[in-house]
Amino acid sequence: MYLFLLIMLNIILLPMPSFAEEDQPLERIVIKRGGGNRYSSFKGADSVYDALNHSPGVDLRCRGSRGTQGDLSIRGSTYEQVLILIDGVRINDPQTGHHNLDIPLTPSDIENITIIKRGASSLHGAGALGGSVNIITKKPIKKTAALEMRCGEHALYEQAVSIENPGRDYFTTFSLEHSSSSGGRPNTDFEYATLSSLFGKEWDNHSLDGIFGYQKKDFGADSFYSNLFPEEKEETRALFTKLGLSSSKGSSVMKNTAFLRKHEDTFWLRRHAPASFNRHTVYSYGISSSLDAPIKIGDIHLGADMTRDEINSTNLGKNTRLNEAGSVGFSCGAGERLSVNSSLRIDHYQNWKNQNSSNISMSYWIIRERLRLNSGFGRAFRVPSFTELYYSDAANIGNPDLKPEKSDSYTLGLESKNKHFNSWIEGFARGTRNTIDWTRPSALDPWRATNLGAVDFRGIELGLEVKDASLTYVYTEADRGPVNYLSKYALDILKQQVLLNLENDIRGVSISLRLSYNERKFGETYFTGDISAGRPFKKSDCEIEPFIKIDNFTDTEYSEISGVTQPGRWMSSGIKIKW
């Protein structure tokens, strides 16, 4: 393995004059921040997990390695309070938010990822108390085929292939990805595979698009949910399919979408005792319609959708819930300086009263194209997951009487732009009511799902981007007042975060360096770094990039979730070919 890594390093660093024409790096994952034009693109990011893990204000707490499982938080939220979408369609798991990032897409399917860092329920529905992450799929413009192979320490082997075929009025894509490893520590071995296909067709004033994705994950789950059971094992299967039809007349656009998501989760408390398992099968499916049309004073949006969640579980039983919603939005501007966006949504659930959510944001150029004032307000809500309502074992007890949790979010910031750098400062505050968390009076008692009452969050984000470098700092504080209980999730926030992302080309070698400092309120303080290097070169219509990557090159021993130690230094290398 080390001999192979040494060979790849020499390929990257040694000059190769016969392939010197128009060297260009291969694809990167782009992160966009909702409500502004700022964005970051990370050449070294090779997955959704990797890109999100180096985004300011985002806290991705991983249990396993390389995308096995992770809990996503935005500005102090819990993992249940972040909404995950694919092309605007929610894919949050109603069983538990631990599966929200089981996303059956490959990196080659993704155009960009848009992050909104305030309550966004009026835009997308329940769940977006802390914010939302919308994964936008790619529509190819050139016929290409791509192949990637990687191997590394801990018996890591990865392969990926993608084919993009655009036509005059249609496109199709196909992607396949596979990864396996013995894991960075005992009982964290994993193997997963993802298969996806996208298509689109246009005619007259209509367009049809579709997504099919399937993902299979098998992994050792050492202490994932309890450090009393280091031999846990889990298998998940995720299927997502969506079909959308858009029709336009003049400047008005009507969109209709239907989707289905299926998720299967099988969990063994002891992997060598196959009789001790829980199995959960979840279906979420629905339809939505929207109309966007211009009016004299701006643009108006009307929307309606209906979604049904079903679960059949050996522990949670059989349960269903139906959600119906209607929304209206309005956007306008005054000249080129001021823009205002607002939205209102009403959701109806079988088991709870109507839930209202709203958003309003304003952007004003104090100095045109140089200095901008941004502000926003979002009222959001989340209904309890099936696990929070019905789960029961010796260590965790659900609560069928839980109420939906609600939040009011506020943001205010300044953004400066010029040809040399971009910078921003933004203050944020979020007040939550009926906050849902797992609590217990002492370490000897089981965890119980509870409505805590009010919890307030506040903080500040500062950022600077200069060419291919960015430096950000985020401070977050939570205030619950005096507490006489232990909190499992809601109060265990990332208090301080410093991120440094650097990209540079040195003598034809593309280098990406990412450094991260994290201070948790009740957990650890640690510093980590990732580095990657690639040598892209081109001959005729073929692009080739051998690369090497070192995750956690600082070899830091740390835990993002108590009792779940993350892998130390992990080296890998491979090659990307595109033609």
Side-chain angles (χ1 to χ4, degrees):
M1 175 57 63
Y2 289 103
L3 178 60
F4 175 78
L5 293 172
L6 184 61
I7 293 172
M8 293 303 296
L9 185 61
N10 276 277
I11 293 175
I12 293 169
L13 295 180
L14 289 178
M16 302 184 68
S18 60
F19 293 90
E21 52 188 64
E22 299 184 11
D23 296 352
Q24 295 291 333
L26 302 187
E27 260 77 4
R28 61 183 68 207
I29 291 179
V30 176
I31 295 289
K32 292 187 176 180
R33 304 171 182 86
N37 295 327
R38 301 188 306 269
Y39 72 95
S40 296
S41 57
F42 304 130
K43 183 65 176 73
D46 50 21
S47 67
V48 173
Y49 273 76
D50 211 14
L52 292 175
N53 204 29
H54 290 82
S55 301
V58 175
D59 180 18
L60 180 55
R61 307 178 71 172
C62 295
R63 287 182 169 84
S65 52
R66 302 195 67 79
T68 302
Q69 190 184 92
D71 295 343
L72 188 66
S73 165
I74 294 179
R75 291 179 171 175
S77 73
T78 69
Y79 63 92
E80 295 279 9
Q81 296 172 343
V82 176
L83 189 60
I84 311 297
L85 308 106
I86 297 177
D87 288 343
V89 176
R90 55 181 295 120
I91 60 168
N92 279 40
D93 194 285
Q95 176 203 338
T96 172
H98 293 314
H99 302 316
N100 285 350
L101 292 179
D102 284 354
I103 300 170
L105 296 175
T106 71
S108 60
D109 298 319
I110 298 171
E111 179 72 26
N112 61 66
I113 302 173
T114 300
I115 301 175
I116 296 177
K117 300 179 186 176
R118 64 171 180 272
S121 289
S122 68
L123 303 176
H124 303 299
L129 270 79
S132 65
V133 174
N134 192 9
I135 299 169
I136 307 300
T137 57
K138 183 191 301 181
K139 293 176 175 55
I141 58 175
K142 181 182 178 182
K143 287 187 178 182
T144 58
L147 175 68
E148 178 176 343
M149 296 175 288
R150 179 197 304 250
C151 64
E153 295 179 287
H154 310 298
L156 175 68
Y157 296 99
E158 294 182 343
Q159 310 85 34
V161 62
S162 67
I163 300 172
E164 300 178 358
N165 181 35
R168 185 175 62 84
D169 56 4
Y170 72 92
F171 73 85
T172 58
T173 72
F174 171 82
S175 300
L176 178 64
E177 184 180 50
H178 174 267
S179 179
S180 64
S181 169
S182 61
R185 54 189 176 87
N187 196 39
T188 58
D189 56 296
F190 65 84
E191 181 175 13
Y192 68 79
T194 303
L195 170 69
S196 62
S197 180
L198 315 178
F199 72 88
K201 169 69 176 176
E202 295 180 355
W203 71 98
D204 297 331
N205 296 320
H206 309 283
S207 64
L208 182 71
D209 65 90
I211 300 174
F212 173 84
Y214 178 78
Q215 186 176 76
K216 171 185 175 182
K217 290 184 179 181
D218 301 340
F219 51 91
D222 175 24
S223 304
F224 272 27
Y225 308 108
S226 171
N227 53 19
L228 299 177
F229 300 98
E231 295 185 350
E232 297 168 328
K233 182 181 186 295
E234 194 160 9
E235 296 179 359
T236 64
R237 308 288 185 266
L239 180 147
F240 176 77
T241 183
K242 186 207 83 164
L243 188 64
L245 174 65
S246 297
S247 302
S248 61
K249 184 176 182 180
S251 299
S252 300
V253 179
M254 169 75 79
K255 295 181 180 180
N256 297 283
T257 303
F259 79 94
L260 167 69
R261 179 185 182 272
K262 179 184 179 183
H263 192 274
E264 295 178 292
D265 172 33
T266 306
F267 173 74
W268 288 267
L269 196 63
R270 300 177 181 85
R271 70 185 302 169
H272 301 297
S276 59
F277 72 91
N278 282 325
R279 178 168 291 137
H280 318 278
T281 302
V282 172
Y283 288 91
S284 296
Y285 51 91
I287 56 175
S288 66
S289 295
S290 66
L291 172 66
D292 293 277
I295 57 177
K296 286 185 178 181
I297 57 174
D299 296 289
I300 192 169
H301 167 88
L302 300 174
D305 58 75
M306 181 170 62
T307 303
R308 183 179 176 89
D309 297 327
E310 301 177 0
I311 187 169
N312 186 356
S313 165
T314 56
N315 185 288
L316 306 175
K318 293 183 178 181
N319 295 281
T320 64
R321 62 187 180 203
L322 180 67
N323 168 227
E324 300 157 317
S327 62
V328 59
F330 175 71
S331 61
C332 65
E336 298 181 357
R337 288 180 178 268
L338 176 67
S339 62
V340 178
N341 294 277
S342 61
S343 56
L344 174 67
R345 178 180 169 114
I346 299 177
D347 285 78
H348 174 74
Y349 284 86
Q350 293 172 306
N351 301 327
W352 298 282
K353 297 179 181 179
N354 290 345
Q355 305 296 319
N356 302 326
S357 53
S358 57
N359 263 274
I360 184 167
S361 62
M362 184 272 290
S363 176
Y364 179 73
W365 286 103
I366 300 172
I367 303 175
R368 187 174 301 175
E369 302 300 327
R370 297 290 297 275
L371 182 64
R372 181 165 61 177
L373 175 69
N374 298 311
S375 64
F377 165 80
R379 174 163 291 177
F381 75 99
R382 180 181 76 86
V383 297
S385 68
F386 287 131
T387 295
E388 292 167 329
L389 291 168
Y390 306 119
Y391 192 82
S392 179
D393 64 16
N396 303 274
I397 301 174
N399 180 359
D401 297 321
L402 287 174
K403 301 175 182 179
E405 57 182 350
K406 303 179 181 181
S407 75
D408 289 336
S409 302
Y410 306 85
T411 59
L412 180 64
L414 281 173
E415 178 184 1
S416 174
K417 300 176 63 176
N418 61 48
K419 63 181 181 180
H420 300 294
F421 65 87
N422 296 337
S423 62
W424 68 92
I425 178 171
E426 184 170 79
F428 57 89
R430 183 177 70 255
T432 61
R433 306 177 299 282
N434 295 329
T435 306
I436 300 173
D437 194 16
W438 295 84
T439 64
R440 59 185 180 183
S442 71
L444 301 177
D445 298 298
W447 295 102
R448 295 179 182 271
T450 310
N451 284 115
L452 293 183
V455 182
D456 295 324
F457 300 85
R458 60 188 180 276
I460 189 170
E461 177 179 318
L462 299 94
L464 175 66
E465 292 181 349
V466 182
K467 287 190 67 175
D468 295 324
S470 67
L471 175 65
T472 58
Y473 170 77
V474 182
Y475 174 85
T476 308
E477 187 56 87
D479 183 11
R480 173 66 180 91
V483 295
N484 56 358
Y485 56 82
L486 300 176
S487 166
K488 196 172 188 179
Y489 299 114
L491 302 181
D492 186 14
I493 65 172
L494 184 60
K495 187 174 182 178
Q496 294 194 80
Q497 178 194 60
V498 182
L499 299 176
L500 176 63
N501 295 298
L502 297 173
E503 293 184 13
N504 201 359
D505 289 336
I506 301 176
R507 300 184 66 181
V509 178
S510 178
I511 298 175
S512 176
L513 173 68
R514 290 173 293 165
L515 305 176
S516 173
Y517 169 86
N518 301 274
E519 177 189 340
R520 301 195 174 276
K521 186 167 185 178
F522 298 116
E524 301 177 11
T525 297
Y526 51 89
F527 173 83
T528 63
D530 302 334
I531 188 170
S532 64
R535 175 69 180 269
F537 52 92
K538 182 177 180 180
K539 186 173 184 179
S540 299
D541 293 328
C542 182
E543 300 176 43
I544 301 175
E545 183 182 4
F547 65 90
I548 186 169
K549 185 175 184 183
I550 308 175
D551 294 302
N552 190 11
F553 69 81
T554 54
D555 202 24
T556 304
E557 183 176 336
Y558 68 102
S559 297
E560 296 174 330
I561 295 174
S562 179
V564 184
T565 304
Q566 292 299 298
R569 185 183 298 113
W570 195 330
M571 299 178 63
S572 63
S573 185
I575 189 168
K576 301 176 184 179
I577 305 173
K578 186 175 181 179
W579 65 96

